[in-house]
Amino acid sequence: MSSGEVRHKVISFRNKMILIFIFMTIIPFVLFAYYAHLKSVEGISNANAAFAMDYLVQSKNNFDEYLAHLNNQINEVIGNKKLQQLMGEIPHTPEEESLFTSEMLNLLYQSMPYVDAFQIRVFPKDPSKYPLYMSSNVLNFQGVLENEAWFRQSMESVTPTWQLFLPGENQQSKPILSKVKRFTGLYDQLPRGLVVTDLSDDQLGRYLSPSHRVPQQRTYLMTGSGFVLYDSDNNATVGQPIASPELMNLIRASSEGAGTLEIDGGSMLVTYSRLNEEPWYLVSSTPLQALTGPIKKINNVFLMFLVVYLICCVGVVIYLTLYFTNPLLRLVKSMRKLEFGEFHYALPNSSRADEIGWLYRGFNNMAQRIQELIEQAFRSERAKKELEFQVLSHQINPHFLYNTLESIRWKAASHHMDEISEMVSSLGNLLRLSLNQGKEITTVAREIEQVRAYVNIEQARLGAPVRILYMVDEQVLNAPFLRLLLQPLVENAIHHGIRSNFDNGKIILSVRQEGRDIVIQLTDNGEGLPDSIIESLNKPHSADEKASRRGVGLRNVNDRLKLYFGESYKLKIDNTNGTHITLKHPVMSEEEAERSPYPSS
């Protein structure tokens, strides 16, 4: 086999390792980020859809009440005896028409404060017979009214109709949505004319304005055929059909709903609901781009991180190639020459202190003195066995340590050294409970037992009694429990709470079950924890180095709880009148404890 073939095989192996590295790290990372992005967009869309629907339904109900109230106000105007009297007879002389016009305009002026609208207008059934009245500015109409299709249609209809007057069709600069209602005499039921109630965008905006909590939200009022009557975006699409066939299909299928649709070429989160008073729909749209803006920023940060990550990976590959692969290629080439009897061939001396340098120097020694290398290999193997034997000899068997502590306790008890006996016994229990046979999950009873052992040792060390009260609900004693949670809290209460005042200091440890949680409360009447320690619990470890060193036990417990069970299970600390620490731990079944994926220490 030639050296070129060797090089080809080594390079191929390196390329395979690079591909494996990419498939195992970069591709799963990208797929996970893409999945997280999709779920984030879905969650934000669902939350905003629920909020927009609630707001839309409330707006619809308010607008329905307004339309019903407006209809009652119009009926009161129609039932006005003065109006009925004036519209009951056609004036025959200019004087009569002048008097009619004056009284009619005065009546409309007096009725306006009682009608919640932009203005109210009354048209007789034969407008041409009222030239002076029709030319007044109050009516805001130009042209021959009898020729207007909406006028003829309204005069023929017994039910009220709605008419949208765009700028140019009225004397206003904005669209006017008018309710047109034919009225008759109170007693003869003969048509007398039309009452036209105009609603400007100010009236509609009071009930149909979008929520300011959602960016770029837009509200439409439209007919069942998609004709836009009101647009909160400066009435940009009023008088036009909505540009979304998908929305029209949804409206035909149900009277209320939500979905992600295309409107005017943009992807929108749309909610809609049908009014009760009129066959109209209230539609709210929000651009998905406005909702997912923060996610895009996160994606940009992710892309930057991915680019840096790829650059670092390339750098690592180049480093491994230059610093490890190429020297190994030279070493393989030299070994091939040695295999064919070229013992005089030697590699350049290497000053490297790692395995590559050792291989280079070892290869040169082999080429120079093969017999000496064999002997050296034998000595190295014997030294290796001796080292392994020393390592095995110095390993401590926990059961041997327990037995030794028990022997010490027995001898201390036989010599009536009760304090030493009790302290050694407590130490043995503390060690046994702490190791927990390498398992991460223990029980509440074993945790309480460990606390008692620790308190006994502290009392012996400090030479003063620690007053601690245990209030434990017996039904939770055998419940699975994450180990080493209570002892650091008790240690903190002793050293940072009552140590400065053992005579009056006391600690209360209570354990109970609330629903699906085990609730543990540890209270002491000491001076309380420094604020810096409490604030540092949820900060990065380097945020406050001094506080982090002092609160390492609390931080360890807090971090483990959040890691295993989530943010809702972190420690809660009240520093008022001593220290009050509340710890919650989920109730776990035996099967859940056996399947627990938590790593053991």
Side-chain angles (χ1 to χ4, degrees):
M1 182 181 291
S2 66
S3 61
E5 293 174 333
V6 173
R7 177 182 296 273
H8 179 266
K9 285 203 170 185
V10 174
I11 293 177
S12 298
F13 173 77
R14 179 189 62 185
N15 292 338
K16 291 178 181 178
M17 295 303 298
I18 293 174
L19 291 176
I20 292 174
F21 176 77
I22 292 175
F23 279 106
M24 292 182 62
T25 57
I26 299 178
I27 292 180
F29 185 70
V30 172
L31 292 177
F32 174 77
Y34 178 71
Y35 177 77
H37 170 77
L38 293 180
K39 288 299 180 182
S40 299
V41 172
E42 180 182 352
I44 291 176
S45 299
N46 291 339
N48 280 276
F51 171 78
M53 179 58 72
D54 291 342
Y55 185 85
L56 191 71
V57 170
Q58 183 63 42
S59 298
K60 182 201 74 170
N61 293 336
N62 293 339
F63 193 55
D64 275 330
E65 291 180 6
Y66 167 72
L67 292 179
H69 185 60
L70 179 65
N71 188 63
N72 293 334
Q73 292 173 337
I74 296 173
N75 290 335
E76 291 180 3
V77 173
I78 292 175
N80 187 282
K81 293 182 179 181
K82 185 65 174 177
L83 175 67
Q84 291 288 334
Q85 179 184 355
L86 290 173
M87 299 300 292
E89 297 181 1
I90 300 175
H92 300 288
T93 65
E95 291 77 10
E96 290 180 357
E97 184 182 3
S98 176
L99 179 61
F100 168 83
T101 301
S102 176
E103 292 182 352
M104 193 65 189
L105 295 180
N106 184 55
L107 176 62
L108 293 178
Y109 178 77
Q110 293 176 354
S111 300
M112 276 307 301
Y114 302 102
V115 179
D116 187 8
F118 175 68
Q119 68 178 359
I120 185 168
R121 297 178 287 172
V122 177
F123 294 104
K125 67 175 181 178
D126 297 318
S128 59
K129 297 180 180 181
Y130 299 82
L132 180 62
Y133 173 66
M134 293 300 298
S135 63
S136 63
N137 293 330
V138 175
L139 297 184
N140 292 333
F141 186 81
Q142 298 177 354
V144 181
L145 189 58
E146 290 90 335
N147 296 335
E148 297 293 330
W150 67 267
F151 180 83
R152 295 194 305 271
Q153 178 185 357
S154 300
M155 284 302 302
E156 295 172 358
S157 174
V158 296
T159 59
T161 60
W162 288 86
Q163 179 66 26
L164 179 65
F165 296 100
L166 298 175
E169 298 176 356
N170 61 74
Q171 295 182 0
Q172 305 298 325
S173 59
K174 295 183 178 180
I176 296 294
L177 181 62
S178 300
K179 182 172 185 178
V180 184
K181 187 171 186 179
R182 191 187 75 174
F183 69 96
T184 63
L186 296 179
Y187 305 106
D188 55 17
Q189 300 299 313
L190 296 177
R192 299 291 175 87
L194 300 178
V195 174
V196 180
T197 308
D198 298 328
L199 304 181
S200 67
D201 57 350
D202 292 333
Q203 271 82 27
L204 298 175
R206 286 186 305 177
Y207 303 96
L208 308 181
S209 294
S211 172
H212 297 295
R213 296 183 181 180
V214 181
Q216 302 183 33
Q217 190 180 37
R218 190 170 176 180
T219 302
Y220 302 90
L221 178 66
M222 66 182 196
T223 65
S225 61
F227 189 77
V228 178
L229 302 176
Y230 170 79
D231 184 353
S232 62
D233 186 16
N234 295 321
N235 293 309
T237 59
V238 169
Q240 305 173 18
I242 193 75
S244 177
E246 294 178 285
L247 176 60
M248 298 309 302
N249 292 334
L250 279 180
I251 287 176
R252 296 186 188 101
S254 62
S255 60
E256 184 176 285
T260 302
L261 311 174
E262 293 290 329
I263 297 181
D264 288 333
S267 185
M268 302 285 181
L269 177 63
V270 177
T271 55
Y272 65 91
S273 182
R274 190 181 189 278
L275 297 179
N276 298 325
E277 290 294 323
E278 299 291 342
W280 296 341
Y281 286 84
L282 193 57
V283 179
S284 173
S285 69
T286 305
L288 282 181
Q289 183 178 4
L291 299 177
T292 59
I295 297 180
K296 290 188 176 181
K297 294 181 180 179
I298 296 176
N299 290 341
N300 292 335
V301 174
F302 166 74
L303 290 177
M304 293 178 59
F305 173 78
L306 184 60
V307 171
V308 174
Y309 184 70
L310 289 174
I311 293 174
C312 293
C313 291
V314 172
V316 169
V317 171
I318 294 175
Y319 171 78
L320 292 176
T321 300
L322 296 178
Y323 205 66
F324 291 99
T325 306
N326 288 344
L328 287 175
L329 284 174
R330 289 194 294 268
L331 180 60
V332 170
K333 181 178 180 181
S334 300
M335 290 177 64
R336 288 297 181 187
K337 290 184 177 181
L338 183 63
E339 182 180 357
F340 289 101
E342 298 183 23
F343 299 107
H344 64 279
Y345 182 83
L347 288 169
N349 290 328
S350 175
S351 61
R352 292 173 58 166
D354 58 3
E355 290 82 353
I356 300 296
W358 298 344
L359 289 173
Y360 269 51
R361 289 187 290 271
F363 176 82
N364 287 332
N365 290 334
M366 282 192 301
Q368 295 174 8
R369 301 187 306 273
I370 295 179
Q371 295 299 329
E372 184 180 350
L373 180 60
I374 295 175
E375 183 179 353
Q376 182 181 0
F378 174 77
R379 291 197 301 268
S380 298
E381 183 68 20
R382 184 176 61 183
K384 178 181 178 182
K385 294 296 183 180
E386 292 176 353
L387 180 60
E388 290 179 354
F389 177 77
Q390 293 178 3
V391 171
L392 292 173
S393 299
H394 287 84
Q395 288 181 338
I396 299 177
N397 189 322
H399 295 287
F400 172 76
L401 180 58
Y402 298 151
N403 295 334
T404 303
L405 290 174
E406 180 62 21
S407 298
I408 295 173
R409 185 196 67 78
W410 179 81
K411 285 185 177 293
S414 65
H415 287 79
H416 305 289
M417 297 179 181
D418 296 334
E419 292 185 359
I420 297 177
S421 174
E422 184 176 352
M423 189 173 184
V424 171
S425 178
S426 298
L427 178 59
N429 288 335
L430 183 64
L431 179 61
R432 173 176 57 83
L433 295 168
S434 298
L435 294 177
N436 195 37
Q437 298 180 351
K439 298 179 180 179
E440 188 69 11
I441 301 299
T442 180
T443 64
V444 174
R446 290 175 65 87
E447 278 289 283
I448 298 297
E449 184 182 353
Q450 182 183 12
V451 170
R452 294 181 186 274
Y454 170 74
V455 171
N456 291 337
I457 294 174
E458 284 297 305
Q459 290 183 140
R461 287 182 60 243
L462 301 175
V466 177
R467 295 195 295 174
I468 180 169
L469 175 62
Y470 302 92
M471 302 171 62
V472 183
D473 190 350
E474 292 185 358
Q475 68 177 358
V476 301
L477 287 176
N478 294 324
F481 198 79
L482 191 63
R483 71 186 182 97
L484 289 177
L485 291 183
L486 301 187
Q487 183 270 330
L489 302 183
V490 175
E491 179 180 356
N492 177 80
I494 293 175
H495 289 281
H496 297 290
I498 66 172
R499 185 171 183 176
S500 60
N501 188 7
F502 270 119
D503 295 335
N504 298 320
K506 61 182 179 180
I507 301 172
I508 300 176
L509 175 62
S510 67
V511 184
R512 65 184 184 277
Q513 181 175 346
E514 291 184 359
R516 293 295 301 166
D517 290 331
I518 299 174
V519 179
I520 296 163
Q521 290 182 319
L522 185 69
T523 303
D524 67 71
N525 61 347
E527 298 177 353
L529 287 172
D531 293 336
S532 58
I533 293 181
I534 299 176
E535 294 173 356
S536 67
L537 287 182
N538 295 310
K539 292 181 179 179
H541 286 254
S542 60
D544 190 343
E545 185 178 355
K546 183 177 180 182
S548 177
R549 289 198 303 267
R550 293 183 62 189
V552 63
L554 289 177
R555 175 182 286 276
N556 180 276
V557 172
N558 192 57
D559 290 349
R560 290 170 68 213
L561 283 171
K562 292 192 295 182
L563 176 64
Y564 293 159
F565 307 121
E567 285 287 336
S568 59
Y569 285 93
K570 65 183 179 181
L571 292 179
K572 296 181 180 179
I573 302 177
D574 183 3
N575 223 21
T576 305
N577 297 326
T579 303
H580 308 271
I581 301 177
T582 301
L583 180 152
K584 287 187 177 182
H585 187 289
V587 176
M588 303 171 62
S589 64
E590 295 294 339
E591 292 76 9
E592 290 174 334
E594 289 296 330
R595 296 195 305 266
S596 175
Y598 311 141
S600 61
S601 300

